[in-house]
Amino acid sequence: MKKPSTNVQFTPYEISMCLHDVHRTRLWKQAIEDLVRPGDIVVDAGAGTGILSMFAAKDGAARVHAIELHPRFVALIEHMAELNEVSDKVQVHHADASRLELSEPIDLLICELLCTGQFFEPEVQVVNHLRQYLAPGGRILPSKVESFVQLLDAQKDLYGVRIDTDSRSDLLAGDEPVSTRARYDVIDFGRPVEPARVDATVELRARKTRVADAVVITSRAWLTEDLVTERTRFLYNPEVIYLKREVQLEEGRTYRVHIAYDYGCDTLDVELDVTPV
Ligand SMILES: C[S@@+](CC[C@H](N)C(=O)[O-])C[C@H]1O[C@@H](n2cnc3c(N)ncnc32)[C@H](O)[C@@H]1O
């Protein structure tokens, strides 16, 4: 298996999509308002534009460590802090959040490196590393992530052209779910996530006598106990991953799906097997 594609810097386009995904950003604002206590030391790991750092600073945090890999966003976070008159509270680190050493204990760790299935981004690696700095009673946002798998008869033609694609980050009108859906992964950030890898087998029942040539992966995250995020405009798009060999399903029959990958990897590196029970 290839190395995980962790520590992926976002482009200005992607970071703008995050910031302007109002549904997503409002949910995180609400969660931060619910979790930050006056005087807290907060870390915003993978801070991007710094929007979550601004929320924490304005909500009474004593200090916010905003950690970001991309130099362009580091300057942007500093400017945002000035504009919002919280420069005295926001300390920006141009660093890899999965390695940076902190000089003080933290009360709240915020990490929005979420991606469906926890592909592409190093959420798990970053939280695993930074959790060592949590003060007693320290909190992590998000607290839990779940992922689901379902068999798909995927649309193969687009614009009149046969598409050769290994995976894609959206469902198309002609994609037909052909099985039940099952939860294959739960990440509980209340404890270290070791190993940083999924290796799960679930059983799905065919809903149709059809070919399955792909799976669709979906996820949701608990930001607080009662604040859950599923798909928004930019977050948690369904990931369609094609099977190496298509499977002819029989309606009502059960199929075993084995799915294995390192968190943060590319969807192309996912091991998938579908076998009849
Ligand atoms: C999904 S964006 C979220 C940005 C921001 N937290 C928000 O909610 O709008 C993830 C950000 O993390 C940064 N990033 C990715 N890997 C990182 C790492 N290992 N250390 C620090 N930043 C990282 C990316 O460059 C990107 O800006």
Side-chain angles (χ1 to χ4, degrees):
M1 180 170 278
K2 280 189 223 157
K3 272 190 72 173
S5 321
T6 51
N7 304 334
V8 183
Q9 290 185 3
F10 266 41
T11 62
Y13 169 77
E14 288 167 318
I15 210 67
S16 165
M17 291 298 281
C18 271
L19 180 65
H20 298 110
D21 180 347
V22 173
H23 182 186
R24 178 205 76 103
T25 307
R26 286 214 171 114
L27 279 173
W28 283 81
K29 181 176 193 293
Q30 182 64 60
I32 290 167
E33 280 172 12
D34 292 348
L35 291 176
V36 173
R37 297 179 190 147
D40 270 356
I41 305 299
V42 176
V43 163
D44 176 11
T49 55
I51 184 68
L52 306 185
S53 297
M54 302 306 131
F55 293 153
K58 283 170 166 277
D59 275 335
R63 189 157 33 261
V64 184
H65 296 278
I67 311 171
E68 172 55 49
L69 268 183
H70 198 305
R72 175 164 173 171
F73 304 146
V74 167
L76 181 63
I77 300 164
E78 280 165 353
H79 189 220
M80 284 268 279
E82 266 170 42
L83 287 175
N84 288 281
E85 298 174 1
V86 288
S87 296
D88 54 330
K89 292 181 172 188
V90 177
Q91 192 173 329
V92 188
H93 305 259
H94 178 206
D96 176 350
S98 65
R99 290 169 194 273
L100 180 69
E101 289 178 17
L102 294 176
S103 54
E104 60 182 340
I106 53 182
D107 301 296
L108 176 62
L109 168 56
I110 302 170
C111 186
E112 207 291 54
L113 286 161
L114 295 180
C115 201
T116 307
Q118 226 32 78
F119 301 120
F120 304 117
E121 292 197 79
E123 176 88 20
V124 169
Q125 289 83 350
V126 167
V127 174
N128 271 349
H129 168 68
L130 290 174
R131 62 181 311 117
Q132 66 181 298
Y133 297 104
L134 279 180
R139 290 138 279 146
I140 298 176
L141 167 57
S143 56
K144 187 169 90 168
V145 170
E146 293 183 331
S147 295
F148 301 81
V149 62
Q150 185 172 29
L151 292 167
L152 204 65
D153 183 354
Q155 178 175 330
K156 291 155 198 80
D157 297 316
L158 195 56
Y159 316 115
V161 172
R162 180 84 179 189
I163 301 295
D164 176 3
T165 153
D166 298 299
S167 73
R168 54 178 150 90
S169 301
D170 210 353
L171 284 171
L172 300 176
D175 288 333
E176 181 79 24
V178 285
S179 75
T180 52
R181 190 179 77 124
R183 187 176 72 174
Y184 70 90
D185 189 39
V186 181
I187 301 174
D188 174 3
F189 285 116
R191 57 183 77 101
V193 184
E194 300 290 352
R197 178 173 171 77
V198 176
D199 194 333
T201 303
V202 292
E203 292 192 350
L204 303 178
R205 205 179 61 260
R207 285 222 217 101
K208 303 187 176 169
T209 297
R210 286 272 284 259
V211 158
D213 56 0
V215 296
V216 57
I217 307 288
T218 48
S219 294
R220 62 179 172 183
W222 269 255
L223 302 186
T224 65
E225 266 177 27
D226 56 3
L227 206 56
V228 178
T229 181
E230 298 192 69
R231 185 180 189 180
T232 64
R233 196 164 147 238
F234 192 62
L235 180 68
Y236 279 161
N237 289 346
E239 283 291 338
V240 174
I241 307 176
Y242 288 82
L243 302 174
K244 297 243 167 3
R245 258 173 293 119
E246 59 182 39
V247 180
Q248 178 61 54
L249 303 181
E250 273 172 51
E251 187 178 341
R253 190 161 182 186
T254 301
Y255 293 81
R256 195 167 284 136
V257 178
H258 175 239
I259 180 162
Y261 56 92
D262 294 334
Y263 292 121
C265 79
D266 193 303
T267 44
L268 298 182
D269 295 328
V270 174
E271 294 167 32
L272 266 176
D273 295 297
V274 181
T275 44
V277 173

